[in-house]
Amino acid sequence: MIHIGYTNVDLVLILALILILGGVAYGVLLFVLSRFEPKDRSRHNPAPWSLPTERDVVFLIPCLNEERVIGASLERLTALDYRKLHLVVIDDGSDDATAKIVRQHPDPRVKLLQRVAPNARQGKGEALNAAFNWLRQGALGEHFDPDTAIVCVVDADGRLEADVLDIVLPRFNNPDIGGVQIGVRINNRRANLLARMQDIEFVLYTEVFQRGRRHLGSVGLGGNGQFVRYTALDSLGTKPWTQSLAEDLDLGIRLLLAGWDTEFCSTTAVHQQGLVDMKRWVKQRTRWFQGHLQAWQLMPWVLSNLKGTRRADLGYHITSPYLLLVGSLLTVAFGLWIGELVITGLAGTLQFSYWWFSAYVVAFGPSMLFGTIYWQQEHSLSWLKAIIVFHVFALYATLWYLAGWRAVFRMLTGRTGWTKTDRIKEPAKDTGDATVTALNANQVAS
């Protein structure tokens, strides 16, 4: 009998190999799936002329001290060429001029829902719930038809493309569709390297993972550019959104649990401000990561109520933050190994190993592969600059480890408060990006 023994080091290496190769395989799978349309989704894209009636569209814009951007956002949004449009600005206890700017807007379709203490500042989810219940009480009048209405959540800095409603609304002709998410771009991506990294991050998430997850039936919803059927929200009760710091993630999963389908639309996007300094980036991503950790409470319902690829993918998605934390420890070990190679090289005793190539492929291969999609969209990058940028992006992704462990610390210390992202002041007619301007001169935002 042959006895095979494993040391603790061997087990750690095996675990590392499983996690790394598993993550890479998942990413490559979604990359492949994202390159073609699901065969059974043609029914989700009926021709625009088959739209039965013009639907009411309600834009919910949660605001907390958004005086720098809300005026420009309302100007762009009211420029949308759509008759049954309603804009509800939720002033969630602002102590700046946000409410004043909204009240002074001349368009009668702009409504202000002002929340004050002690109900205000309880998170984005609670602000959205307050607005939805306000709608349920008849705030938009007797001509508002909740049976066909669509609710869109956009952040105060969001800039929707002018044809967004023409593209998104026909998706709701399928009665099974409860929510549709559109792509996200960073409008100030040329501001600095950090803003560029965020644009790559959003494009890769939407163009690879969201498009790939269409085949698995597990498309998620985001906090910006989120379109949801009114009756789907109503089916979730008086509080469709939770108090989670990732209320958008929770909403998408709960819609699936309630029997609705979710869809992703890649042919239009919402453009938003990127963060240009690391301190604000860490705060924002800590909140996002903590919200994903909170989503673990939905795991029992995902495992018991969903089936097939939808259950498998959402189970992995909810677990991924914990896997990322484990991966951070492996990355530290990888970094120490690189350091050892450098020291050995300086000492003149370094010997070449084919393991170096495999380590390089695992570390930088996925970002280079996925980056081809971004490069096809962002023609301002030369091929040489793109190669450099995608190498940097692989290193940028490790910053999530910092946000992740900071989120764990906040969880352990019972800190669940909402940290708002500050905005940069912007003019109403400035798109902030030549590419966006080229898409349509009448860009709008929320």
Side-chain angles (χ1 to χ4, degrees):
M1 179 179 293
I2 298 175
H3 176 70
I4 300 177
Y6 293 99
T7 66
N8 291 335
V9 174
D10 292 331
L11 293 176
V12 170
L13 291 176
I14 292 173
L15 174 62
L17 188 62
I18 292 174
L19 289 176
I20 292 172
L21 295 182
V24 171
Y26 174 76
V28 172
L29 171 64
L30 290 187
F31 176 84
V32 173
L33 292 176
S34 69
R35 296 307 87 201
F36 58 91
E37 289 290 306
K39 293 182 179 180
D40 62 343
R41 287 300 176 106
S42 59
R43 61 190 178 91
H44 291 183
N45 299 278
W49 55 81
S50 66
L51 195 64
T53 57
E54 192 174 27
R55 306 173 184 271
D56 286 284
V57 176
V58 184
F59 287 95
L60 299 183
I61 314 167
C63 292
L64 174 57
N65 294 334
E66 298 285 12
E67 65 178 3
R68 294 179 178 178
V69 296
I70 189 59
S73 294
L74 293 177
E75 287 301 313
R76 289 188 295 263
L77 193 53
T78 53
L80 275 176
D81 185 18
Y82 193 79
R83 186 175 63 88
K84 302 185 71 174
L85 196 68
H86 312 273
L87 284 68
V88 178
V89 179
I90 313 155
D91 177 31
D92 198 29
S94 299
D95 50 23
D96 65 356
T98 297
K100 179 181 179 180
I101 294 171
V102 176
R103 288 196 191 96
Q104 292 177 345
H105 198 279
D107 197 310
R109 296 173 299 175
V110 176
K111 304 290 191 300
L112 174 65
L113 174 60
Q114 196 163 13
R115 287 164 55 80
V116 297
N119 295 322
R121 301 197 181 194
Q122 295 183 3
K124 183 177 179 180
E126 286 300 299
L128 292 171
N129 286 332
F132 183 68
N133 282 287
W134 191 58
L135 297 180
R136 295 178 71 184
Q137 295 168 10
L140 297 183
E142 60 181 8
H143 297 295
F144 175 74
D145 182 8
D147 292 333
T148 61
I150 304 299
V151 176
C152 177
V153 177
V154 280
D155 289 338
D157 65 327
R159 305 176 179 192
L160 295 170
E161 295 178 3
D163 59 355
V164 62
L165 296 181
D166 294 330
I167 294 175
V168 172
L169 292 186
R171 306 296 179 102
F172 288 99
N173 284 358
N174 177 356
D176 295 331
I177 295 293
V180 175
Q181 178 61 43
I182 62 175
V184 180
R185 293 300 303 267
I186 299 299
N187 58 42
N188 59 335
R189 52 186 171 272
R190 297 187 179 93
N192 62 12
L193 184 60
L194 181 60
R196 174 68 72 180
M197 293 296 104
Q198 292 165 77
D199 189 51
I200 296 174
E201 183 177 36
F202 277 112
V203 169
L204 297 190
Y205 176 72
T206 55
E207 288 295 315
V208 175
F209 291 89
Q210 287 281 59
R211 288 187 66 171
R213 293 172 75 191
R214 294 180 68 209
H215 294 263
L216 307 178
S218 55
V219 169
L221 297 182
N224 207 4
Q226 168 196 125
F227 291 80
V228 188
R229 191 186 299 271
Y230 182 101
T231 51
L233 290 172
D234 197 47
S235 71
L236 299 180
T238 59
K239 291 191 174 184
W241 290 273
T242 67
Q243 291 185 326
S244 168
L245 295 179
E247 83 296 327
D248 49 353
L249 170 66
D250 274 21
L251 178 64
I253 295 175
R254 292 170 66 233
L255 285 174
L256 294 174
L257 291 173
W260 296 95
D261 288 339
T262 52
E263 180 61 294
F264 172 69
C265 182
S266 62
T267 53
T268 189
V270 57
H271 301 253
Q272 65 186 39
Q273 286 186 3
L275 303 178
V276 294
D277 67 84
M278 186 57 64
K279 183 177 180 180
R280 292 168 61 204
W281 185 94
V282 171
K283 286 184 177 180
Q284 182 191 68
R285 302 313 166 94
T286 297
R287 186 183 79 229
W288 292 1
F289 201 102
Q290 189 173 353
H292 277 67
L293 292 175
Q294 292 172 336
W296 181 259
Q297 62 185 338
L298 295 173
M299 181 64 88
W301 287 272
V302 169
L303 296 178
S304 61
N305 293 2
L306 300 180
K307 300 182 184 301
T309 58
R310 180 174 289 183
R311 176 171 60 183
D313 186 62
L314 284 177
Y316 175 82
H317 191 66
I318 294 175
T319 308
S320 60
Y322 300 92
L323 298 178
L324 185 67
L325 293 174
V326 175
S328 69
L329 303 179
L330 302 176
T331 302
V332 170
F334 179 78
L336 293 175
W337 175 66
I338 295 295
E340 182 181 356
L341 291 180
V342 172
I343 294 174
T344 304
L346 293 176
T349 59
L350 184 64
Q351 295 182 351
F352 175 79
S353 171
Y354 288 103
W355 281 103
W356 298 355
F357 177 74
S358 62
Y360 169 80
V361 170
V362 171
F364 296 98
S367 65
M368 298 298 293
L369 175 64
F370 299 162
T372 58
I373 295 176
Y374 184 81
W375 188 48
Q376 292 172 357
Q377 296 192 13
E378 192 65 15
H379 302 294
S380 64
L381 292 177
S382 66
W383 68 268
L384 179 59
K385 186 176 181 180
I387 290 176
I388 296 173
V389 166
F390 298 142
H391 277 81
V392 174
F393 180 76
L395 300 176
Y396 160 84
T398 63
L399 293 176
W400 273 97
Y401 300 150
L402 175 61
W405 285 109
R406 188 168 181 265
V408 170
F409 176 77
R410 285 177 56 86
M411 293 276 285
L412 293 176
T413 55
R415 299 167 62 188
T416 59
W418 185 278
T419 303
K420 179 189 173 296
T421 302
D422 294 328
R423 312 292 186 194
I424 301 172
K425 185 176 177 58
E426 59 185 27
K429 295 182 180 180
D430 178 24
T431 63
D433 187 273
T435 304
V436 178
T437 306
L439 289 171
N440 195 297
N442 295 319
Q443 291 288 17
V444 293
S446 58

